[in-house]
Amino acid sequence: MAENNIDWASMSFSYKPTDFNVRCTFKDGQWGPIEVSDSEYIPMHISAACLHYGQESFEGLKAFRGKDGKIRVFRPEENAKRFIRSAEGIGMEPMPEELFLEMVRNVVELNERWVPPYGVDASLYIRPFEIGITPLLGVRPATEYMVVMLVSPVGAYFKNGFKPTKVCMSREYDRVAPKGTGSIKVGGNYAASIVAGERAHNLGYSVMLYLDPKEKKYLDECGAANFFAIKDNTYITPASDSILPSITNMSLKQIAEDLGIKVDARPIPFEELETFEEASACGTAAVCSPICQIDDLDTGKVYTFGSPDQAGPLTTKLYNRLRAIQNGDVEDTHGWNMIIG
């Protein structure tokens, strides 16, 4: 492995240039060969479909270096499947799973020296995205698409690490519409969350917790992440058509069952917040982001969970087990990791 003069331990969660990205174009009814590029730019027509009509989707996954020196990419098959669902949801050409996985392997191997060493709270973040590149003026699907995979070494998503944060909620905002694009990973969902997210940050909260967009009665997503809570040795998470099926949440549910914790995925009335022992957001970037307090900005009601200084015991147990699987410290009994090297 080539050496980098990087302070891995103090790295933030932000983009850093690496050596290569990989690209693949759909044209004339078929996907072309995988191309390797060292450019950070994409030549694009000013009337490209992605720029005007939002034909764009993306994914996020991570690669980790284990104590044994091997690189593990966590559950890329699930990202490939979700990438397909997102493309289909906005009328784009879905990339076959096998081609997606080949691109993941290629981009990690090409940037192997940027995978952080074992033992630091850092990883190689992989960002695949698909865009419609056909020049259009009318609203219709593009006929040509490009998939690009870039990578960047990243540190912990939250600068304070695995520690509880305060969250707020308000009925003033919706992230997505009922029966809309909430269950797929497209940029428009995230653009729709920026105003509410910035309000939360300006008020001193880490994120905005959304209620369901139809009735405003049930917990939905926690910013760009899924939500879960712990009560009576049960892992409780919302079941909703308007939230993104999180691969991290899916994994945590399986780990909970492995550890003898019950799993209950169902609509969660917001009033039930006051009964929870632990609460957390979860996603690829942070894995688990413990929540110590949720403030309802509309009613003034405050919900608290455990200690403001440390995550709850079951959230900690789930987080540690998932991180151990990603790092290769425990047996990968479910075959989640793609091994490279």
Side-chain angles (χ1 to χ4, degrees):
M1 181 180 68
E3 292 297 325
N4 292 316
N5 294 320
I6 296 176
D7 182 2
W8 300 104
S10 62
M11 182 176 292
S12 63
F13 192 92
S14 57
Y15 175 76
K16 298 166 188 64
T18 53
D19 297 326
F20 301 102
N21 58 80
V22 295
R23 309 175 181 199
C24 189
T25 302
F26 181 86
K27 186 176 181 179
D28 299 327
Q30 62 183 358
W31 289 98
I34 297 173
E35 300 175 355
V36 177
S37 175
D38 60 2
S39 173
E40 295 178 281
Y41 297 91
I42 302 170
M44 191 185 304
H45 195 280
I46 58 175
S47 191
C50 63
L51 299 177
H52 297 267
Y53 302 119
Q55 274 201 299
E56 179 274 348
S57 68
F58 69 100
E59 275 299 324
L61 58 163
K62 287 180 176 179
F64 305 86
R65 192 182 300 278
K67 188 184 296 184
D68 57 6
K70 295 179 180 179
I71 297 170
R72 291 167 172 82
V73 183
F74 187 68
R75 306 199 76 173
E77 296 88 355
E78 293 300 329
N79 292 95
K81 293 172 185 175
R82 194 168 65 182
F83 203 49
I84 289 171
R85 294 196 301 271
S86 295
E88 292 173 341
I90 54 173
M92 297 197 299
E93 181 66 29
M95 170 168 276
E97 182 177 335
E98 297 77 13
L99 182 55
F100 180 96
L101 295 175
E102 184 180 356
M103 291 184 72
V104 169
R105 183 175 291 276
N106 285 358
V107 78
V108 173
E109 289 176 342
L110 288 164
N111 294 284
E112 188 269 344
R113 74 189 185 100
W114 296 98
V115 182
Y118 174 81
V120 298
D121 190 11
S123 58
L124 185 72
Y125 188 81
I126 307 164
R127 168 55 59 83
F129 63 92
E130 180 173 354
I131 51 176
I133 57 176
T134 306
L136 295 177
L137 282 181
V139 181
R140 61 184 186 275
T143 57
E144 298 179 6
Y145 297 92
M146 177 183 289
V147 169
V148 179
M149 289 194 188
L150 61 91
V151 298
S152 175
V154 296
Y157 189 73
F158 294 108
K159 61 183 179 180
N160 293 328
F162 184 63
K163 293 183 180 179
T165 64
K166 294 182 179 180
V167 168
C168 63
M169 67 178 185
S170 172
R171 294 149 194 81
E172 183 178 344
Y173 303 99
D174 286 327
R175 190 184 66 92
V176 294
K179 305 298 183 181
T181 59
S183 63
I184 60 177
K185 198 170 178 70
V186 295
N189 295 346
Y190 295 79
S193 73
I194 289 175
V195 170
E198 285 303 292
R199 182 186 177 193
H201 294 159
N202 292 337
L203 291 173
Y205 300 100
S206 62
V207 74
M208 178 74 69
L209 173 63
Y210 295 94
L211 297 177
D212 75 282
K214 185 177 182 179
E215 299 181 273
K216 303 291 188 180
K217 293 181 179 179
Y218 303 98
L219 302 180
D220 221 46
E221 282 211 297
C222 201
N226 277 194
F227 174 87
F228 74 85
I230 302 293
K231 179 175 67 173
D232 300 329
N233 197 47
T234 302
Y235 181 103
I236 304 169
T237 191
S240 167
D241 292 333
S242 62
I243 64 176
L244 182 72
S246 162
I247 295 166
T248 302
N249 196 0
M250 181 193 311
S251 305
L252 289 170
K253 286 189 285 186
Q254 181 60 63
I255 291 171
E257 291 182 350
D258 294 344
L259 296 174
I261 302 168
K262 298 176 184 178
V263 173
D264 190 7
R266 58 174 170 79
I268 305 173
F270 72 85
E271 296 92 346
E272 194 175 347
L273 282 170
E274 61 188 356
T275 70
F276 293 146
E277 300 159 16
E278 303 176 34
S280 181
C282 62
T284 298
V287 183
C288 295
S289 176
I291 298 169
C292 63
Q293 181 174 317
I294 298 176
D295 292 356
D296 188 330
L297 300 182
D298 303 325
T299 66
K301 178 77 173 178
V302 175
Y303 305 90
T304 58
F305 317 95
S307 167
D309 300 317
Q310 63 181 18
L314 290 190
T315 300
T316 301
K317 197 172 184 178
L318 292 165
Y319 171 83
N320 288 339
R321 176 58 65 93
L322 181 51
R323 293 290 291 114
I325 294 170
Q326 292 174 330
N327 284 319
D329 292 334
V330 298
E331 184 181 359
D332 179 16
T333 56
H334 298 290
W336 286 342
N337 290 317
M338 171 194 281
I339 307 295
I340 299 177

